[in-house]
Amino acid sequence: MSTSRDFILTVEGLTVSFDGFKAVNDLSLYLEHNEIRVIIGPNGAGKTTVLDLICGKTRATDGAIRFKGQELTRMKEHQIVRSGVGRKFQNPSIYDDLTVFENLEVSYPRGRSVMGALAFRRDQQVLDAVHEVAETIFLADQLDCRADLLSHGQKQWLEIGMLLIQKPDLLMLDEPVAGMSVAERKKTAELLKVITRNHTVLVIEHDMQFVGDIADRVTVMHQGQVLSEGSLAHVKADPKVVEVYLGH
Amino acid sequence: MKTTPSASSLMSRENLYFLVLAALLLLVFPVLLDAFRLNLVGKYLTYAFVAVGLVLCWGKGGILSLGQGVFFGLGGYCMAMFLKLEASSPEATASQSTPGIPDFMDWNQVTELPWFWQPFHSFSFTLIAVVMVPVILAFIIGVAMFKRRVGGVYFAIITQAIAAILTILIIGQQGFTGGANGITDLRTLMGWDIRSNEAKTVLYFVTSGLLLACVLLARHVLGSKLGRILVAMRDQEDRVRFSGYDVASFKVFVFCLAAALSGIGGALFTLQVGFMSPSFVGIVPSIEMVIFCAVGGRHSLLGAVYGALLVNAAKTGFSESFPELWLYAMGALFIAVVLAFPNGIAGLYQRYLMPLEKKMLGGLGKAANTRPTAAARRMEETP
Ligand SMILES: Nc1ncnc2c1ncn2[C@@H]1O[C@H](COP(=O)(O)OP(=O)(O)O)[C@@H](O)[C@H]1O
Ligand SMILES: [Mg+2]
């Protein structure tokens, strides 16, 4: 095994058991800096659970998750975020009662303590950051719009924007194009390409076209384990993968 | 700083509403109402402190507490303990078997002032305790619950249980607390007779002034990023947590702030009513306080004040004529508000009266717009 120094994220022997059912079972995963990794696999394979484990939403039964030299399995959720892990949920999780501007502002990584939040000022730095991100996520004209009025696709982008403004080193996206129109998918693929110039990205996705567009490497999961890993062409040709997908 | 035109006009609108409330409390009521009615309004206003706290923690933060009576009561009891000690001077209680201690202690064969009563000889300690005792309890409850991610209905039930426990404790420890009768026969505040009409009028103004200050404080908190985080937590708690915030600490903060406001309200209640008893602490008053807030509109600070005023006025009117029906009326009111007007009076106002007002103000606004420029020109003309 190569030294973990080369990797931004090292997951080894990760296992979680829900009342005896191992949703993730002895899983290992290595992510390089600025890599786009896509996880695919049938429903219930444990993909979302892997992201939950990395960001601390679910606690591992066993195994290690090292991120930039820190062991995440023992850290609190907000500390994991502050160490540079951003995570987008499967269903768009945005603040419906706030405007797009406020959604991004709340996500801006300053004034995260109670006193810090009370003392927070909307200065030029914040304005610039919000406008820059809004531009990136195609929402520059919707800044004053209440978030619940956005379309489904726009909500997905907004949540991605809320992560971008935090400047995380690792961005984890759970099915970012699910439910999007073809045009929106295209735009999202572009967006991800822009993002990955300076982020490491871990994406869960079903849409093979989309996966082919963005992935550096693909990990196929099945029953909580890694079934196959490599380029999209490589995993597509893997007989084990073919069997799982055909049998599905 | 970017302020959109709509935001700035909203600000001035908010200021206008605030001024209307201030005028109502400081001018209209004192002019129109006799001393007795004014004192009643003053009593209602002490509940508005609780309702404002509930807007912060329930309306904005999504944390429903059914135990705010606890904090109201603790603030009220702190003040009552001070006043009781002042009323229990050795001269005034010379006929007791132990002079110099509150009468109910003497009746219960307590022969020495308990240790936790001692500091309440000091008025400055009492003022601090009025805020800090509720805050400390809220902090303990908040840390215990929110760090364990207890929320929603479970939290509401636990606060309800705490209200019940505190009531039982107060009633059970008659010798230390005055029991079910409470702490009664309070007379003077540092020698100033609080039972006179003049004193009650002064206390009314103190209450109004403090309430307006608390509304401004609450508005300041809601206007900060913390206010938006509260709303964000209510909408998507996990998203806030996974944006790097320690959600529990924000909940603890807002719960403590609401407790502090309730405590201040309770202390002012004691001063104006002249006694404090467990009947203002338990489950029923705690739920009533939530109803004041819900009726006024749980998202609106000013709405909460009007809710407290109106429901209490209705309660007084109702209890005078049909005392046995009040509880049912209250229940019906709550159900009606929850089902039909989830945003309370403030919501109704925004929906039906604001469009009308806009039309009227629109006309006025045009007229007003020309005036400053004319005035400015005149200023330039004068050398
Ligand atoms: N908190 C949980 N408690 C119990 N079972 C869970 C929990 N989270 C996920 N699971 C189960 O783990 C399996 C994997 O789920 P998930 O990671 O959501 O799959 P995927 O995202 O690949 O479709 C599913 O069978 C799911 O029911
Ligand atoms: Mg999933």
Side-chain angles (χ1 to χ4, degrees):
Chain A
M1 190 65 23
S2 58
T3 58
S4 62
R5 173 168 64 89
D6 304 326
F7 301 108
I8 185 167
L9 179 75
T10 314
V11 176
E12 280 175 338
L14 192 63
T15 303
V16 67
S17 153
F18 298 120
D19 296 327
F21 167 68
K22 288 185 173 169
V24 172
N25 190 358
D26 195 20
L27 178 125
S28 297
L29 197 68
Y30 304 88
L31 254 66
E32 286 172 19
H33 281 277
N34 290 4
E35 165 179 3
I36 304 193
R37 173 73 59 93
V38 180
I39 302 182
I40 61 173
N43 270 334
K47 306 179 297 292
T48 298
T49 307
V50 169
L51 298 200
D52 285 348
L53 286 163
I54 295 172
C55 74
K57 190 162 188 262
T58 303
R59 292 289 155 185
T61 312
D62 204 1
I65 304 169
R66 288 190 77 72
F67 174 70
K68 297 197 302 182
Q70 283 173 294
E71 179 59 46
L72 298 189
T73 45
R74 282 186 291 274
M75 283 161 63
K76 293 211 174 96
E77 292 97 326
H78 64 271
Q79 290 168 334
I80 294 176
V81 175
R82 290 177 194 184
S83 79
V85 177
R87 190 258 167 97
K88 193 201 154 309
F89 294 97
Q90 193 160 345
N91 299 318
S93 300
I94 54 167
Y95 313 128
D96 280 341
D97 292 328
L98 298 179
T99 64
V100 170
F101 184 96
E102 289 167 336
N103 266 272
L104 292 170
E105 185 191 46
V106 164
S107 311
Y108 186 77
R110 196 178 72 201
R112 277 164 160 174
S113 66
V114 169
M115 287 307 143
L118 280 172
F120 180 88
R121 290 283 163 271
R122 190 178 286 179
D123 58 19
Q124 199 56 43
Q125 231 177 336
V126 177
L127 291 178
D128 290 348
V130 168
H131 285 111
E132 188 193 323
V133 167
E135 202 74 52
T136 313
I137 58 171
F138 324 111
L139 292 177
D141 295 333
Q142 274 82 18
L143 277 174
D144 290 327
C145 175
R146 262 174 61 116
D148 62 341
L149 301 176
L150 297 177
S151 74
H152 175 79
Q154 288 174 320
K155 287 182 182 177
Q156 299 276 35
W157 292 336
L158 175 57
E159 196 182 350
I160 294 175
M162 289 158 69
L163 298 182
L164 287 181
I165 205 165
Q166 298 174 27
K167 300 210 180 300
D169 302 300
L170 171 64
L171 203 58
M172 303 195 293
L173 309 173
D174 200 346
E175 305 197 17
V177 297
M180 279 190 180
S181 68
V182 176
E184 284 174 334
R185 278 170 197 239
K186 273 226 176 82
K187 270 178 119 174
T188 309
E190 277 170 41
L191 174 62
L192 288 194
K193 279 188 185 137
V194 173
I195 292 171
T196 47
R197 283 189 207 130
N198 39 18
H199 294 90
T200 309
V201 185
L202 183 57
V203 195
I204 296 175
E205 197 40 73
H206 285 297
D207 182 339
M208 282 305 160
Q209 168 84 46
F210 184 80
V211 174
D213 275 354
I214 62 164
D216 292 324
R217 280 150 68 83
V218 176
T219 298
V220 186
M221 274 188 74
H222 181 52
Q223 292 176 351
Q225 292 179 306
V226 174
L227 191 66
S228 180
E229 197 166 276
S231 68
L232 183 61
H234 169 84
V235 299
K236 265 185 167 167
D238 189 328
K240 284 181 291 182
V241 177
V242 174
E243 191 190 331
V244 165
Y245 269 88
L246 287 181
H248 190 62
Chain B
M1 171 97 194
K2 184 200 88 157
T3 42
T4 57
S6 67
S8 71
S9 72
L10 194 79
M11 282 310 290
S12 65
R13 179 182 284 275
E14 273 184 8
N15 286 336
L16 179 71
Y17 293 153
F18 181 78
L19 291 177
V20 168
L21 177 67
L24 197 64
L25 296 186
L26 301 176
L27 294 172
V28 178
F29 286 157
V31 168
L32 290 186
L33 301 177
D34 59 37
F36 173 73
R37 294 278 158 189
L38 194 65
N39 178 238
L40 270 185
V41 173
K43 189 179 98 176
Y44 304 161
L45 288 178
T46 63
Y47 289 117
F49 285 83
V50 186
V52 166
L54 277 168
V55 169
L56 293 175
C57 108
W58 178 39
K60 297 297 168 181
I63 305 161
L64 174 57
S65 163
L66 294 177
Q68 292 307 91
V70 166
F71 307 119
F72 183 83
L74 287 174
Y77 266 97
C78 286
M79 184 54 79
M81 285 161 84
F82 173 79
L83 297 175
K84 190 66 191 172
L85 286 181
E86 194 175 307
S88 311
S89 65
E91 303 82 60
T93 54
S95 61
Q96 290 178 184
S97 45
T98 314
I101 64 170
D103 47 12
F104 62 82
M105 290 187 187
D106 201 54
W107 302 333
N108 285 283
Q109 285 83 46
V110 175
T111 53
E112 201 185 355
L113 197 64
W115 61 269
F116 64 89
W117 273 76
Q118 300 285 357
F120 287 93
H121 279 297
S122 152
F123 188 56
S124 31
F125 176 86
T126 303
L127 288 183
I128 295 169
V130 158
V131 175
M132 287 316 289
V133 171
V135 165
I136 290 168
L137 180 65
F139 183 80
I140 294 169
I141 298 171
V143 169
M145 296 297 123
F146 300 135
K147 295 275 178 202
R148 289 198 182 80
R149 311 257 164 100
V150 176
V153 179
Y154 298 101
F155 182 76
I157 291 171
I158 283 166
T159 52
Q160 184 96 110
I162 291 168
I165 292 168
L166 188 65
T167 317
I168 292 166
L169 209 66
I170 292 174
I171 294 175
Q173 299 297 316
Q174 202 169 359
F176 300 137
T177 61
N181 295 329
I183 301 180
T184 55
D185 201 14
L186 308 173
R187 297 168 201 167
T188 56
L189 174 71
M190 313 227 279
W192 178 55
D193 191 340
I194 56 171
R195 292 163 304 178
S196 69
N197 275 347
E198 298 77 59
K200 285 186 171 168
T201 307
V202 171
L203 286 171
Y204 168 84
F205 279 106
V206 171
T207 304
S208 299
L210 278 174
L211 178 63
L212 292 169
C214 286
V215 168
L216 286 182
L217 173 78
R219 228 172 79 171
H220 176 74
V221 169
L222 291 183
S224 73
K225 189 172 90 161
L226 193 138
R228 295 188 285 283
I229 291 170
L230 289 181
V231 175
M233 264 174 12
R234 186 190 66 201
D235 285 352
Q236 290 285 348
E237 184 172 321
D238 261 344
R239 187 63 273 164
V240 177
R241 182 171 292 126
F242 291 103
S243 296
Y245 295 99
D246 180 11
V247 165
S249 65
F250 284 86
K251 289 188 173 181
V252 170
F253 172 80
V254 75
F255 189 51
C256 286
L257 183 57
L261 294 176
S262 307
I264 296 171
L268 290 164
F269 180 90
T270 301
L271 281 169
Q272 293 184 89
V273 178
F275 74 101
M276 188 68 210
S277 88
S279 59
F280 306 111
V281 175
I283 291 180
V284 173
S286 293
I287 291 179
E288 280 183 335
M289 290 165 188
V290 170
I291 296 177
F292 304 154
C293 176
V295 168
R298 64 188 155 118
H299 301 297
S300 161
L301 295 170
L302 299 183
V305 175
Y306 290 113
L309 281 174
L310 286 173
V311 178
N312 275 294
K315 180 179 179 176
T316 306
F318 232 88
S319 325
E320 276 168 11
S321 21
F322 320 98
E324 68 283 4
L325 284 182
W326 170 245
L327 265 180
Y328 297 101
M330 187 82 134
L333 183 66
F334 188 49
I335 293 170
V337 166
V338 167
L339 291 182
F341 322 109
N343 293 325
I345 296 169
L348 289 176
Y349 176 83
Q350 276 164 11
R351 205 151 122 212
Y352 297 108
L353 286 182
M354 212 127 101
L356 277 178
E357 181 193 300
K358 245 182 208 151
K359 262 185 225 154
M360 282 162 53
L361 281 181
L364 277 176
K366 269 174 222 141
N369 270 345
T370 57
R371 238 178 277 135
T373 45
R377 222 176 295 127
R378 229 172 295 127
M379 293 251 305
E380 278 165 10
E381 279 162 13
T382 42

